[in-house]
Amino acid sequence: LTIVCRLLLFFLACSPVSASFAAKRGVKSERAALPASIGQAARSAAIPLSSVGIYVQEVGAKKPFLKLNEQQAFNPASTMKLLTTDAALHLLGPSYSWKTQIYGRGNLQGDVWQGDLIIKGSLDPKLVLENFWLLLRQLRAKGIRQINGNLLLDRSIAPELANTVNDAAEFDNAAIKAYNVLPDALLLNYKSLRLQFRPDASRQVVQVSIEPAPPSVQLGSLRLSNANCDEWRDDLALQTRGDAANMSLQFGGSYAASCGPRTWDIHPYWMSADAYFAALFQPIWQELGGSLKGEVKAGIVGEDASLLMEWQSPPLAEVVRDINKFSNNVMARQLLLTLGSGDGKPASYARGAARIQQWLLDQGLAATELQIENGSGLSRNERIAARSMSRLLLAAYASPVMPDLIASLPIVGVDGTMRNRLKQSPVAGHAHIKTGTLNDVRAIAGYVLAASGKRYVLVAFVNHARAKESRAMLDQLIEWVYLRG
């Protein structure tokens, strides 16, 4: 019996102490250890844990609830927008707005403006088609019908953004994708074209239209198929043929009838910013009864020009919702440039990044590993650690702009980029999560309201060649925080 007791005591001494037993004995449990289910999900995806950074902490707590490689610098993809938008809400204020101004050089004779009109840009991220129509309508209401001169476009707030056909394919060789639109001091309608597809099964055809419809763009025909609607954009096999003067959009593939009506926003990369602006201005101005004798081209407001009218954008809080809910890259870039403008100096990414770095330093949130390139996350060079991003979100929750920031994040299973994830999970509707996606990068960051009633900040980065396989792991992590937090 003595030998059996000794063996039993030896076994207990060498065995891991259970969490419940440790709690009863007053031993502190290691809650920051990675849950077995998350580790298993990573192994199933063949992603080494060295390629994953995680930080989870309850709002108001002193220590993390979960952490892994938390101080390692990772590419955050589009979760970088959280830093840009949070900084902007603090530095500019939720009610900040951009002002697009129209100046005149000349005089009004009857309903004819004798001279040039100049539109001066302010880096407004949301001068969309509807707002542009209202702006021109107000110009017509001032009695101007005919412009006997040129329409000049003043981009002097950001001269480094040259008015050329930029290489939008530089990032990933997909210039036609709308996310590759480059910033513009006078950005109009996100410089995008909307393709509309309407299948007609009875006639076995697909009606394709484009809005707005530049006269230089022609659409090819598209055949209907009985395929699944999973990767419908890829199935179109869209190709561009021609140049800026005569571009044709051809479809080498097909459109699945099961898709029903769909839209796809594309980037007319072959058009300069001036050409795109002219393509939108001319038909709207004519529709309003106006006419233009001269050209639409670059110019500046001189001392001999007088202010005729001003258009004010929606407030920053609304713009931030668009940026984060739908992960709009060009709007985030415009915002960083706005932060890098003022004091009579031209806007630049570098000045915007420096302003954010100084703001973080002033708030006690400095991150030595942080690298900001364009503020959108559409970058191979931007870096931040999971712990640094979490500290930002924890501070944001205790700040006056908390309601505006949280309201801008996609709600799990409900809207934005999280609308189709975890829809059937108990966490649906209980977490606000910004996503990030690049080749070899997946990321999530935001807030989880756990079943316990506690609120957690959650950040997770995956940088690996198999990062696209990490979605299940990241979804499990969100759900785990909800259930166990």
Side-chain angles (χ1 to χ4, degrees):
L1 181 62
T2 304
I3 296 175
V4 174
C5 290
R6 286 177 178 176
L7 288 173
L8 181 59
L9 288 171
F10 176 81
F11 174 78
L12 290 173
C14 295
S15 299
V17 181
S18 70
S20 59
F21 181 79
K24 292 177 181 178
R25 305 290 291 182
V27 179
K28 181 181 177 182
S29 61
E30 185 55 65
R31 302 191 70 184
L34 188 71
S37 60
I38 306 303
Q40 179 57 48
R43 288 190 293 274
S44 298
I47 297 173
L49 292 181
S50 59
S51 299
V52 181
I54 298 174
Y55 199 88
V56 180
Q57 183 169 325
E58 181 189 350
V59 171
K62 299 296 183 182
K63 295 183 179 180
F65 185 67
L66 178 64
K67 62 180 180 177
L68 175 68
N69 301 321
E70 72 277 6
Q71 298 191 59
Q72 180 179 327
F74 284 88
N75 185 322
S78 282
T79 62
M80 180 60 82
K81 293 180 176 72
L82 294 175
L83 173 60
T84 305
T85 54
D86 185 38
L89 286 168
H90 280 89
L91 293 169
L92 303 176
S95 62
Y96 177 87
S97 64
W98 290 260
K99 296 175 176 59
T100 300
Q101 299 170 321
I102 298 184
Y103 287 81
R105 182 185 298 133
N107 57 80
L108 185 62
Q109 297 180 9
D111 60 0
V112 178
W113 182 265
Q114 299 291 352
D116 298 334
L117 291 182
I118 310 103
I119 302 182
K120 186 173 183 178
S122 64
L123 292 166
D124 183 353
K126 201 171 182 180
L127 187 58
V128 293
L129 200 59
E130 297 86 346
N131 291 343
F132 188 53
W133 183 87
L134 290 171
L135 170 64
L136 296 184
R137 187 172 180 272
Q138 290 180 17
L139 183 63
R140 279 287 289 120
K142 284 189 170 293
I144 299 176
R145 179 186 59 81
Q146 181 172 309
I147 305 170
N148 275 358
N150 297 314
L151 181 68
L152 304 179
L153 309 177
D154 185 338
R155 297 183 171 87
S156 57
I157 190 174
E160 76 171 31
L161 305 178
N163 179 37
T164 59
V165 181
N166 294 289
D167 185 10
E170 181 180 3
F171 182 73
D172 60 359
N173 200 33
I176 203 165
K177 300 293 181 66
Y179 60 73
N180 273 322
V181 172
L182 296 170
D184 180 2
L186 197 51
L187 182 69
L188 179 59
N189 202 45
Y190 313 127
K191 201 194 175 196
S192 65
L193 301 176
R194 173 159 293 182
L195 296 177
Q196 298 178 328
F197 304 91
R198 298 182 180 86
D200 186 341
S202 63
R203 298 169 52 202
Q204 285 297 297
V205 297
V206 184
Q207 296 177 352
V208 187
S209 60
I210 187 168
E211 177 68 30
S216 60
V217 178
Q218 303 298 321
L219 288 174
S221 59
L222 177 62
R223 61 186 179 86
L224 199 63
S225 76
N226 294 320
N228 294 327
C229 194
D230 297 331
E231 303 294 336
W232 67 275
R233 292 184 181 88
D234 294 338
D235 293 341
L236 294 174
L238 178 61
Q239 301 172 349
T240 56
R241 298 175 184 173
D243 53 27
N246 187 18
M247 178 57 66
S248 175
L249 302 182
Q250 299 292 328
F251 301 99
S254 61
Y255 184 85
S258 59
C259 289
R262 296 279 178 119
T263 62
W264 183 20
D265 291 335
I266 63 170
H267 173 212
Y269 64 90
W270 59 89
M271 300 177 72
S272 70
D274 285 351
Y276 180 84
F277 201 102
L280 268 64
F281 170 81
Q282 293 281 17
I284 296 176
W285 187 240
Q286 291 174 9
E287 185 180 289
L288 292 170
S291 63
L292 172 67
K293 291 293 184 182
E295 303 176 77
V296 178
K297 60 183 182 179
I300 60 172
V301 175
E303 294 182 358
D304 56 343
S306 57
L307 181 63
L308 298 180
M309 58 172 297
E310 184 175 85
W311 172 264
Q312 187 165 299
S313 76
L316 175 62
E318 180 177 326
V319 169
V320 165
R321 282 195 294 274
D322 287 343
I323 291 175
N324 287 333
K325 286 280 188 187
F326 307 105
S327 206
N328 192 301
N329 292 300
V330 71
M331 293 180 79
R333 291 184 176 206
Q334 299 278 118
L335 188 52
L336 183 62
L337 286 165
T338 300
L339 288 171
S341 64
D343 302 326
K345 298 178 181 178
S348 71
Y349 288 138
R351 292 187 68 223
R355 190 175 179 187
I356 290 179
Q357 293 274 19
Q358 184 59 53
W359 171 72
L360 290 172
L361 181 63
D362 294 342
Q363 302 300 311
L365 298 172
T368 56
E369 84 287 353
L370 176 63
Q371 296 183 43
I372 306 172
E373 183 176 34
N374 58 44
S376 74
L378 192 69
S379 165
R380 304 295 182 199
N381 302 317
E382 293 191 322
R383 294 289 185 276
I384 193 171
R387 180 175 180 271
S388 297
M389 181 69 83
S390 294
R391 291 177 68 211
L392 175 82
L393 294 175
L394 288 166
Y397 192 81
S399 77
V401 303
M402 177 270 286
D404 297 297
L405 183 67
I406 291 187
S408 75
L409 303 184
I411 303 174
V412 170
V414 176
D415 66 8
T417 57
M418 287 295 299
R419 65 188 179 280
N420 293 322
R421 292 175 67 169
L422 294 164
K423 291 177 70 71
Q424 306 305 318
S425 167
V427 74
H430 291 85
H432 290 75
I433 299 292
K434 178 76 191 76
T435 59
T437 303
L438 289 176
N439 289 338
D440 303 337
V441 180
R442 292 297 186 274
I444 54 173
Y447 302 90
V448 178
L449 181 60
S452 65
K454 299 176 181 178
R455 192 178 299 273
Y456 290 83
V457 162
L458 163 63
V459 176
F461 301 138
V462 180
N463 286 190
H464 190 264
R466 291 182 57 81
K468 66 179 181 180
E469 307 298 331
S470 67
R471 174 166 165 167
M473 180 189 75
L474 295 176
D475 284 355
Q476 282 186 42
L477 180 59
I478 297 171
E479 189 172 68
W480 183 86
V481 173
Y482 172 76
L483 294 172
R484 302 296 181 88

